[in-house]
Amino acid sequence: MADIDYSQNAILVVEHTEVYRGILKKILTDIGANDIRVTSTGKEAIASCQENQYDIVFCDFDLGRGKTGLQVLEELRFCELIKSSCVFVMITATVDKNIVLSCLEHKPNIFITKPFTHNDLKSRLDKVFQQQNHLRKIVAAMDNQEFKAALFYCEQELKAGTRYETWCLKTRCELLFKLKAYEACIKACREILATKAHTWAHLFLGKALCATKQHDLALEVFKLLYSQGPVSIDGIEAFDEAAHIHQEKGENDVAQRLLQQATDISDLSVPRLRELADLCEENDDVSAATKVYRKVAKHAEYSMHSGPDNNLDFARSLSESAARAEYVESKILVAEALTALNKVNKSYKDRGTKVRSTLLASQAFSSIDEDEKANQLLAKALDGYQELDGVEKNLDVKVELVRTYVVTGNQAKANNLISEINTSDGFNSKLAARIDRISEEPVSQSGKSEVVKINSKGIKYYNAKEFKKAIVYFSKALKRFPKHIGIRLNLAQAIIAQLTLQGPEPGLIQQCIDDLAHLSHLTTVHGQYHRLTELSEKIQGFKSQCALTD
């Protein structure tokens, strides 16, 4: 292999420790590099790349307090501060599998572990640059977003019998997908897989099948990828892609399970964590959502994903968990929520964020029945809310105010504000669910419409004496509206009808008892109290029959 000339390359070294900064500079000088710049933090690295165009970036994963090397790579790529032709070398002293896989997901050109020798680094760098130089027409076209030209050069290389055949085949599939030539991409992937089972070919095949609405076939391909052990980097992405399909099918529980599996393998991706947290909330898995939001708040802090919403969402989830927890645990959760909100207050000074933070603090105290403190904070938040201008009174602030009205017992005020929100542009199902999840009756227009459909379909199953289907349907509906009294009573009635038909079954009896336990707060003046009492007596009768049988 001919020596590569590095004398004309602009090189950035991002290294926390002085010793390794010196080692890297010495190695780079020895191989002929002249233009070498050094930074010690991720923040400095981003700033340097904003001002300069580099050919090589050497970056350690551990950069001390602040951005990690992974967060530097993610931001440089996302903000297009480095070209495709820039060689990014990720350096790490860790052998932690989670960190390694998380780094590899972002596809650095070289991943090398400390300690390494002069020859190790030079050999790997030479191989990458030899390939880059040979394929420079393709890489340059991709840098310029000229995907048709890049595809043409790719085809030329393959016809010439290039020694970089695998890279060219993979890049051709990528370019066909980018150009939305999905049928051609499917054909190319299948031809490749007929000779060798490349994981990247499976991934592009699945994505192209999904793009052409062949969802079931795509799921089969993705499952083949993520079911093989050990899971590859492409297999991790297959979890994500499969989860999206299941979401479109309305199978959010399956989507949550898949994203959780991906996160268990590689848990440093903030976008994936956020998506998982949203799914957990949609599935009313508040405990799981809280755990995921905790990771979001931690991993997003110094990244390009930093912002007040990370800790605000975390605090909200902690408060919802506290409302369902035992007394001691609820106190611990609320303390953690208040800590998260204090972080927001220290870092973000805009008025809208301060109002949202105060409203969430009110919700936190309400979740542990400290009503006086909750109302004081609500009053303080309302003072701040009145000072906001029209733009600052955005949907996020208004939704948080509605939630606070609901948990502090101000239902009439909540209803007044929700009637205004219902007609607002941007009021989506996610924001509606955020309110409806804590309300005994949905207050959003979309929530009200959905409940009507749910009850209509569930009652249709019931009237057709398809009680098992009614039980499954009402159970699924409770994940969307966990506090809805009518749905809970309908579920109990369907269970009792099934028990009447088939006889006592301990599992169903316990499900009904657990379901009705959520309504123990209803008083004698509540419109549904008589129905609750009647159903409770019936299920206790079945429980007694079970005890006699035992």
Side-chain angles (χ1 to χ4, degrees):
M1 182 189 297
D3 275 350
I4 304 296
D5 180 12
Y6 294 103
S7 62
Q8 302 303 311
N9 292 127
I11 301 173
L12 176 66
V13 173
V14 191
E15 172 57 60
H16 179 54
T17 62
E18 189 175 347
V19 171
Y20 262 94
R21 285 201 297 272
I23 290 171
L24 278 168
K25 281 196 74 172
K26 176 71 167 58
I27 291 173
L28 293 170
T29 302
D30 287 349
I31 65 174
N34 294 320
D35 185 0
I36 307 168
R37 304 184 192 189
V38 178
T39 63
S40 59
T41 70
K43 186 177 180 180
E44 290 173 354
I46 298 296
S48 187
C49 288
Q50 287 172 334
E51 296 173 1
N52 307 285
Q53 196 64 245
Y54 291 103
D55 302 300
I56 312 173
V57 175
F58 290 87
C59 188
D60 195 359
F61 175 83
D62 183 5
L63 297 173
R65 184 175 176 80
K67 291 180 185 295
T68 65
L70 173 60
Q71 290 168 341
V72 170
L73 173 56
E74 180 185 29
E75 190 166 342
L76 291 179
R77 288 260 172 86
F78 182 83
C79 298
E80 298 182 350
L81 296 176
I82 55 174
K83 294 182 177 180
S84 302
S85 55
C86 176
V87 174
F88 193 98
V89 184
M90 181 70 77
I91 304 167
T92 179
T94 185
V95 291
D96 183 288
K97 188 177 179 182
N98 196 309
I99 290 176
V100 171
L101 287 172
S102 294
C103 288
L104 292 177
E105 269 200 273
H106 285 80
K107 298 177 175 58
N109 301 86
I110 298 173
F111 185 85
I112 192 165
T113 55
K114 297 176 181 177
F116 51 82
T117 66
H118 172 290
N119 288 337
D120 286 338
L121 186 59
K122 185 178 186 304
S123 173
R124 296 184 66 177
L125 205 55
D126 283 353
K127 284 180 182 177
V128 171
F129 263 88
Q130 188 176 44
Q131 179 175 308
Q132 292 270 42
N133 289 339
H134 186 83
L135 303 169
R136 60 186 177 276
K137 281 187 177 181
I138 302 172
V139 175
M142 292 178 73
D143 267 335
N144 295 326
Q145 306 284 301
E146 296 168 354
F147 299 133
K148 286 185 178 180
L151 182 61
F152 173 76
Y153 295 136
C154 223
E155 298 287 7
Q156 279 191 324
E157 273 293 315
L158 287 166
K159 286 176 184 176
T162 179
R163 58 181 156 168
Y164 301 112
E165 181 185 43
T166 300
W167 186 92
C168 287
L169 287 171
K170 180 180 180 181
T171 303
R172 182 175 67 175
C173 290
E174 179 185 349
L175 289 166
L176 287 169
F177 189 80
K178 284 179 180 290
L179 290 165
K180 298 184 179 180
Y182 301 127
E183 293 298 340
C185 183
I186 291 168
K187 182 182 177 183
C189 289
R190 284 179 169 153
E191 287 173 354
I192 292 164
L193 291 169
T195 57
K196 190 170 182 180
H198 290 291
T199 57
W200 52 262
H202 276 111
L203 183 63
F204 278 117
L205 174 59
K207 290 169 75 170
L209 287 168
C210 184
T212 53
K213 307 298 181 185
Q214 300 177 70
H215 293 139
D216 290 337
L217 283 175
L219 284 175
E220 288 178 19
V221 173
F222 292 138
K223 187 174 183 179
L224 184 66
L225 256 183
Y226 64 68
S227 297
Q228 294 175 345
V231 177
S232 65
I233 297 302
D234 295 314
I236 296 172
E237 189 174 344
F239 277 119
D240 297 337
E241 296 292 337
H244 296 154
I245 295 174
H246 284 293
Q247 275 184 278
E248 285 187 25
K249 287 172 169 277
E251 298 165 350
N252 285 351
D253 50 344
V254 180
Q256 179 185 334
R257 187 169 67 250
L258 289 170
L259 282 183
Q260 184 62 64
Q261 286 178 268
T263 302
D264 289 342
I265 298 167
S266 173
D267 75 346
L268 299 183
S269 169
V270 174
R272 180 184 294 126
L273 288 168
R274 280 180 174 167
E275 192 175 345
L276 175 57
D278 286 345
L279 271 172
C280 292
E281 284 192 339
E282 285 183 40
N283 291 335
D284 194 41
D285 193 346
V286 176
S287 175
T290 300
K291 290 176 183 176
V292 180
Y293 275 129
R294 186 178 283 113
K295 289 185 177 182
V296 171
K298 177 183 177 182
H299 296 319
E301 186 173 3
Y302 298 106
S303 77
M304 59 181 285
H305 306 289
S306 63
D309 283 351
N310 297 318
N311 274 301
L312 291 174
D313 290 342
F314 180 34
R316 185 188 307 106
S317 189
L318 283 163
S319 296
E320 288 190 30
S321 289
R324 305 182 187 197
E326 297 296 326
Y327 180 74
V328 175
E329 185 187 357
S330 67
K331 287 275 192 179
I332 294 170
L333 291 168
V334 165
E336 190 175 4
L338 296 175
T339 300
L341 293 173
N342 283 335
K343 286 184 179 179
V344 173
N345 294 335
K346 287 179 181 178
S347 301
Y348 302 96
K349 303 300 181 183
D350 64 284
R351 297 188 301 181
T353 297
K354 283 189 173 297
V355 170
R356 289 171 68 197
S357 178
T358 307
L359 288 168
L360 281 163
S362 174
Q363 292 172 37
F365 281 106
S366 179
S367 72
I368 52 174
D369 297 325
E370 293 194 20
D371 296 338
E372 185 177 349
K373 184 67 175 175
N375 285 319
Q376 287 173 355
L377 286 164
L378 172 57
K380 180 182 176 182
L382 285 171
D383 288 340
Y385 183 78
Q386 297 306 321
E387 294 175 4
L388 301 180
D389 60 32
V391 174
E392 290 173 314
K393 288 181 180 176
N394 56 43
L395 276 175
D396 286 321
V397 176
K398 290 178 179 178
V399 166
E400 221 57 77
L401 180 54
V402 171
R403 282 174 52 90
T404 311
Y405 278 147
V406 170
V407 299
T408 54
N410 292 283
Q411 193 61 53
K413 291 180 179 178
N415 291 340
N416 287 337
L417 185 52
I418 197 65
S419 61
E420 174 191 329
I421 292 174
N422 271 326
T423 59
S424 301
D425 292 336
F427 185 57
N428 54 32
S429 58
K430 180 180 176 181
L431 291 173
R434 191 173 286 175
I435 299 170
D436 293 336
R437 197 167 56 245
I438 62 168
S439 307
E440 290 186 350
E441 297 286 337
V443 289
S444 70
Q445 193 57 51
S446 60
K448 289 175 181 177
S449 300
E450 194 173 342
V451 164
V452 170
K453 290 178 184 176
I454 286 168
N455 278 326
S456 176
K457 190 169 182 179
I459 291 168
K460 187 177 179 181
Y461 284 136
Y462 183 90
N463 290 337
K465 300 192 183 305
E466 296 184 78
F467 304 127
K468 287 186 177 179
K469 285 186 178 180
I471 291 168
V472 170
Y473 194 75
F474 285 129
S475 296
K476 185 179 277 190
L478 281 172
K479 290 185 175 181
R480 172 73 170 86
F481 302 100
K483 289 199 171 187
H484 195 279
I485 296 169
I487 295 175
R488 286 206 174 277
L489 291 173
N490 286 344
L491 171 60
Q493 190 165 330
I495 292 173
I496 288 169
Q498 181 62 29
L499 291 170
T500 303
L501 184 68
Q502 70 173 41
E505 181 186 317
L508 274 179
I509 291 169
Q510 191 57 51
Q511 182 184 356
C512 188
I513 290 170
D514 292 342
D515 174 56
L516 293 177
H518 285 86
L519 305 179
S520 59
H521 64 285
L522 297 190
T523 63
T524 54
V525 295
H526 195 283
Q528 297 278 24
Y529 182 78
H530 176 72
R531 188 181 174 202
L532 170 64
T533 304
E534 190 178 81
L535 293 170
S536 297
E537 288 173 355
K538 286 182 179 179
I539 199 62
Q540 288 302 322
F542 281 110
K543 186 179 180 183
S544 299
Q545 288 180 43
C546 254
L548 288 173
T549 305
D550 292 342

